[in-house]
Amino acid sequence: MSKCAEAAAVAATVPGAGMGQAGLRPSMVPRQASFFPPPVPNPFVQQTRMGAASRLQIFFLGIILLPIRVLLVALIILLAWPFAAISTACCPEKLTHPITGWRRKITQPVLKFLGHAMFLSMGFMVTVKGKVASPAEAPIFVAAPHSTFFDGIACVVAGLPSMVSRNENAQVPLIGRLLRAVQPVLVSRVDPDSRKNTINEIIRRATSGGQWPQILVFPEGTCTNRSCLITFKPGAFIPGVPVQPILLRYPNKLDTVTWTWQGYTFIQLCMLTFCQLFTKVEVEFMPVQVPNDEEKSDPILFACRVRSLMAEALGIPVTDHTYEDCRLMISAGQLTLPMEAGLVEFTKISRKLKLDWDSIRKQLDEYATIACCSKGGRIGIDEFAEYLKLPVSDVLRQLFTLFDRNHDGSIDFREYVIGLAVLCNPANTEDIIQMAFKLFDVDEDGFITEEEFSTILQASLGVPDLDVSGLFKEIAQGDSVSYEEFKSFALKHPQYAKIFTTYLDLQTCHVFSLPKEAQAAPLIASNKVSPENHDESTSDKKDD
């Protein structure tokens, strides 16, 4: 599409443009089709609906079962603690050597037995399928889908392998000592080299020839509702050693175990689960997967293949959701936006648009500012216009239509970010900002007054009585706007880029439509042109 045609498509209804009809949607911009949201539901939310019968059953069973099970769990933890203390006595928190000898031989069988007893006391009926691989066959277990803290049952069934856990968890009284007994790989959030050190530790243990226990990893990195398998983190696959996939299923009529960021809390799930007569769980050990040469050099390829095999066995799809999407949902909740407000596969989108986490988080704040009063967390044309401090005009509708990717008359956060990145940010180059400033600076004194600002926006938006005092005050620190102030505002608010340059684009079209001798004049000739007086202004500049 030529520059002139593209400008005309964006501002088809501006007076003086002489083309298009109001409300006509411009053709799809490059790569637009690849940004439509996936059909997979949001995996980070869970809504368990209970009928009256279920509530009554939970109430009456809870009167008897809840206190008994709480006491049993507490008793088992107290019994396990001395053995965990013996196992880790005189050992540093971050182990440099594996626990061996009599301490491991005595404590591990007891801790394994007590682990089975604890889950049994909580009412879990465990079904195990497949065969557990030896450390020589598979140094690493990968378990999915990860949907609850009860998934720790996979660790007990697998023979208490080491786990990757936060360093803070090892500090918790009682529980921390039990965690240290399985010789975990501890991750520190305050250490900037934590990720690299964790990977190095996993590689060291996985390639130790069986000296260290096997490692159990939940490669999704966060809990989901088990409706799909999200992107696997490559940490478990970087060592390039065989891995054994573990499938986790909870085939219960009433789901009381799923623990996502939007749903029941830890305490609520524990109480609901303890009040069930029993809770079914299936742990299936799949055949060991050995990486080929290509997968050894490309752990992401290995992770994708293993994930596909596990998803096929579970009968669920795979998606490009990641832990970062979950972080974004948490941030949305803190901003009082609905957690599902267009927050889908954002890591995938960020890679395509070359956006980092800080910029995405900043744009989420900005979106929340616009959508704070919008029902359902979606932005309509009225909210969009109010935020821009501009009236709803044909040009603004055209701009809004470029954001509205699914044609439903509103935009969510995903559409908003894509619109900024694909439609607005490219228009905010240094050259374009300079041209736009010169366009507004009618008297060429290096400053834009409110009258100059109002005149040009009235022409570009086709609104003769436009009041821009509110918008002008947003930009100006005094009675006029310098170039630096204008540039700072344009970079911080890229939504205005198309609006600021619409008039410039229309003048470009006008100049290109003139005879060749007239086009020889500098483009900045449009600086003093208004829609009502194209010819006079062009000839004046030519005479200069």
Side-chain angles (χ1 to χ4, degrees):
M1 180 182 288
S2 67
K3 181 179 179 69
C4 185
E6 184 178 2
V10 173
T13 59
V14 179
M19 57 185 74
Q21 295 180 355
L24 180 65
R25 185 180 180 88
S27 58
M28 188 174 291
V29 299
R31 299 190 302 167
Q32 183 176 8
S34 65
F35 291 119
F36 281 105
V40 178
N42 192 331
F44 304 116
V45 298
Q46 172 66 15
Q47 291 182 342
T48 301
R49 303 185 184 279
M50 291 186 291
S54 297
R55 293 177 184 274
L56 283 173
Q57 179 181 335
I58 290 172
F59 177 77
F60 287 112
L61 287 176
I63 294 174
I64 302 171
L65 294 177
L66 183 60
I68 294 175
R69 285 176 170 166
V70 170
L71 287 174
L72 286 174
V73 169
L75 178 61
I76 291 171
I77 290 175
L78 290 175
L79 288 174
W81 187 87
F83 292 95
I86 293 171
S87 176
T88 57
C90 302
C91 293
E93 191 172 278
K94 284 195 173 183
L95 295 173
T96 55
H97 300 283
I99 298 173
T100 57
W102 65 270
R103 288 192 297 181
R104 182 166 179 81
K105 289 180 180 178
I106 292 176
T107 59
Q108 286 301 103
V110 175
L111 291 176
K112 191 188 303 182
F113 171 78
L114 291 175
H116 281 283
M118 184 172 69
F119 278 98
L120 182 61
S121 68
M122 289 189 289
F124 281 91
M125 305 293 291
V126 185
T127 301
V128 180
K129 299 180 180 179
K131 180 185 176 182
V132 181
S134 66
E137 293 173 313
I140 297 177
F141 297 113
V142 287
H146 184 28
S147 61
T148 176
F149 46 85
F150 291 125
D151 287 342
I153 198 167
C155 180
V156 175
V157 175
L160 296 185
S162 299
M163 300 177 67
V164 178
S165 179
R166 290 186 302 161
N167 191 55
E168 293 85 352
N169 293 337
Q171 310 294 329
V172 179
L174 292 178
I175 303 298
R177 181 66 70 169
L178 295 175
L179 175 64
R180 289 174 56 191
V182 299
Q183 306 177 65
V185 177
L186 295 177
V187 180
S188 174
R189 291 189 172 183
V190 297
D191 182 4
D193 297 324
S194 177
R195 188 177 185 278
K196 181 180 69 175
N197 294 337
T198 300
I199 295 298
N200 290 337
E201 182 65 13
I202 291 175
I203 294 173
R204 184 170 74 94
R205 295 192 183 193
T207 57
S208 66
Q211 294 181 19
W212 286 89
Q214 291 161 285
I215 302 173
L216 174 65
V217 178
F218 293 95
E220 292 174 293
T222 189
C223 289
T224 69
N225 56 20
R226 296 192 301 278
S227 63
C228 58
L229 289 186
I230 66 173
T231 301
F232 279 10
K233 292 188 173 184
F237 306 92
I238 289 176
V241 298
V243 302
Q244 183 172 32
I246 302 176
L247 304 179
L248 296 169
R249 300 182 181 93
Y250 293 88
N252 300 286
K253 185 177 180 181
L254 180 64
D255 183 3
T256 63
V257 299
T258 301
W259 189 44
T260 58
W261 290 102
Q262 184 170 309
Y264 288 117
T265 64
F266 174 87
I267 299 296
Q268 288 173 328
L269 283 182
C270 284
M271 292 182 65
L272 286 172
T273 302
F274 288 4
C275 292
Q276 301 299 309
L277 194 60
F278 57 85
T279 302
K280 296 179 183 177
V281 57
E282 294 179 0
V283 182
E284 180 179 350
F285 292 87
M286 293 181 66
V288 173
Q289 300 300 313
V290 181
N292 56 37
D293 292 338
E294 186 179 5
E295 290 171 339
K296 287 180 180 179
S297 59
D298 187 353
I300 294 179
L301 186 64
F302 188 22
C304 287
R305 180 172 70 84
V306 172
R307 182 177 67 147
S308 296
L309 288 172
M310 297 176 75
E312 184 179 355
L314 290 164
I316 58 177
V318 299
T319 76
D320 289 323
H321 290 89
T322 65
Y323 171 63
E324 281 65 34
D325 296 321
C326 193
R327 289 176 62 195
L328 199 60
M329 284 187 55
I330 299 169
S331 297
Q334 292 170 346
L335 294 170
T336 68
L337 285 172
M339 287 188 173
E340 64 277 7
L343 308 176
V344 287
E345 293 189 350
F346 243 98
T347 301
K348 176 182 177 181
I349 295 298
S350 300
R351 289 196 196 105
K352 287 188 177 184
L353 301 181
K354 296 181 172 59
L355 301 172
D356 57 26
W357 169 255
D358 290 334
S359 66
I360 289 287
R361 185 60 175 79
K362 179 182 177 182
Q363 288 169 356
L364 181 63
D365 291 339
E366 187 176 296
Y367 178 84
T369 301
I370 309 174
C372 62
C373 299
S374 179
K375 186 177 181 180
R378 297 183 66 88
I379 298 172
I381 182 69
D382 294 329
E383 290 87 7
F384 194 63
E386 184 179 355
Y387 175 73
L388 295 179
K389 293 183 172 61
L390 293 171
V392 177
S393 62
D394 290 335
V395 171
L396 198 66
R397 288 191 183 94
Q398 288 289 334
L399 176 60
F400 186 80
T401 301
L402 291 172
F403 281 84
D404 182 12
R405 314 185 75 79
N406 62 356
H407 307 241
D408 67 351
S410 63
I411 56 179
D412 60 22
F413 178 61
R414 178 190 177 94
E415 292 172 313
Y416 178 74
V417 171
I418 294 171
L420 288 182
V422 177
L423 303 170
C424 295
N425 283 336
N428 263 3
T429 62
E430 183 79 21
D431 290 341
I432 290 295
I433 293 175
Q434 288 179 356
M435 296 282 275
F437 182 81
K438 290 179 180 179
L439 171 72
F440 283 99
D441 184 16
V442 178
D443 58 7
E444 301 181 5
D445 65 349
F447 292 92
I448 302 172
T449 64
E450 184 172 342
E451 182 180 358
E452 292 172 326
F453 189 69
S454 177
T455 300
I456 297 300
L457 277 187
Q458 285 172 357
S460 63
L461 293 174
V463 182
D465 56 348
L466 176 66
D467 181 9
V468 298
S469 57
L471 177 56
F472 186 79
K473 290 176 182 177
E474 288 282 326
I475 306 175
Q477 296 182 0
D479 296 332
S480 60
V481 178
S482 67
Y483 173 70
E484 289 302 321
E485 290 173 334
F486 183 82
K487 177 182 176 181
S488 175
F489 183 83
L491 293 175
K492 289 179 181 178
H493 301 85
Q495 303 94 330
Y496 289 96
K498 285 286 184 185
I499 298 173
F500 284 167
T501 59
T502 291
Y503 188 72
L504 181 62
D505 289 337
L506 291 173
Q507 296 310 312
T508 302
C509 291
H510 173 71
V511 172
F512 287 160
S513 67
L514 295 175
K516 290 186 177 180
E517 57 272 15
Q519 293 185 26
L523 184 60
I524 304 305
S526 60
N527 166 299
K528 293 185 177 181
V529 178
S530 65
E532 295 78 11
N533 196 12
H534 291 315
D535 297 334
E536 180 183 345
S537 298
T538 305
S539 59
D540 285 347
K541 191 65 181 179
K542 187 178 178 182
D543 291 338
D544 290 341

